[in-house]
Amino acid sequence: MIAYLVRHAHAGDRERWEGPDQDRPLTDKGRRQAERLAQRLAPSRPARLLSSPYLRCRQTLEPLGLALALPVLDEPDLAEGRPPDLALELIRQATADIALCSHGDVIGGIVENLWRRRLVRAPRWEKGSTWALEVHAGEIVGATYIEP
């Protein structure tokens, strides 16, 4: 099983956004990143698309959802500020290929954990990037980085 762990695409500067942070949308650059993500992941046909409830995360997965005719489901455990262990549990419980979109703090926590376990050579999680995590029997056994 493969879990595609996606960091949301470019959404501009948090400090310059005047509304609630959870409503900050993707920029034009971010929308292009989301389209490229859909082109890359659609052939793999993940069975479920889970997103942080933040708009920028949902928007990152929406082009993939359209390509696959799948809904993007809000998952509070992927929200910014949530412990990375909650996202890891979602990955461990998955029974089919899945794409999950979250934030730098959550993704960073997972990637640093994988780095300590020597499953990742260089811990990276740029906006719009993806980690393809190979999961067997509920455990992550391999990780491949996909550029934004």
Side-chain angles (χ1 to χ4, degrees):
M1 197 267 310
I2 302 293
Y4 297 97
L5 187 60
V6 179
R7 179 162 182 206
H8 69 76
H10 191 266
D13 188 354
R14 179 186 310 256
E15 285 74 35
R16 294 174 68 174
W17 175 251
E18 295 184 13
D21 189 51
Q22 59 264 33
D23 295 337
R24 185 163 41 104
L26 295 181
T27 61
D28 289 341
K29 175 182 178 179
R31 284 189 288 281
R32 288 189 302 274
Q33 288 175 323
E35 289 293 335
R36 284 192 300 273
L37 174 76
Q39 292 169 1
R40 286 182 186 155
L41 297 189
S44 301
R45 305 201 58 79
R48 290 185 72 207
L49 307 178
L50 299 180
S51 171
S52 159
Y54 286 49
L55 178 61
R56 57 190 174 271
C57 286
R58 284 194 313 272
Q59 287 179 327
T60 298
L61 288 184
E62 283 173 349
L64 180 59
L66 287 172
L68 299 174
L70 289 174
V72 176
L73 304 172
D74 282 354
E75 175 50 64
D77 287 340
L78 295 172
E80 189 170 54
R82 301 290 286 170
D85 288 346
L86 298 175
L88 278 171
E89 190 58 30
L90 292 170
I91 292 167
R92 289 185 185 112
Q93 292 178 2
T95 57
D97 289 0
I98 188 169
L100 307 95
C101 187
S102 191
H103 305 267
D105 61 336
V106 175
I107 305 281
I110 292 170
V111 172
E112 287 176 353
N113 174 285
L114 297 175
W115 180 71
R116 285 190 298 276
R117 293 177 49 208
R118 298 180 186 214
L119 294 173
V120 168
R121 288 184 186 195
R124 306 169 59 185
W125 53 89
E126 290 88 3
K127 290 180 181 176
S129 65
T130 302
W131 280 95
L133 306 177
E134 186 179 348
V135 182
H136 289 288
E139 289 300 318
I140 299 170
V141 297
T144 302
Y145 183 74
I146 303 170
E147 297 275 343

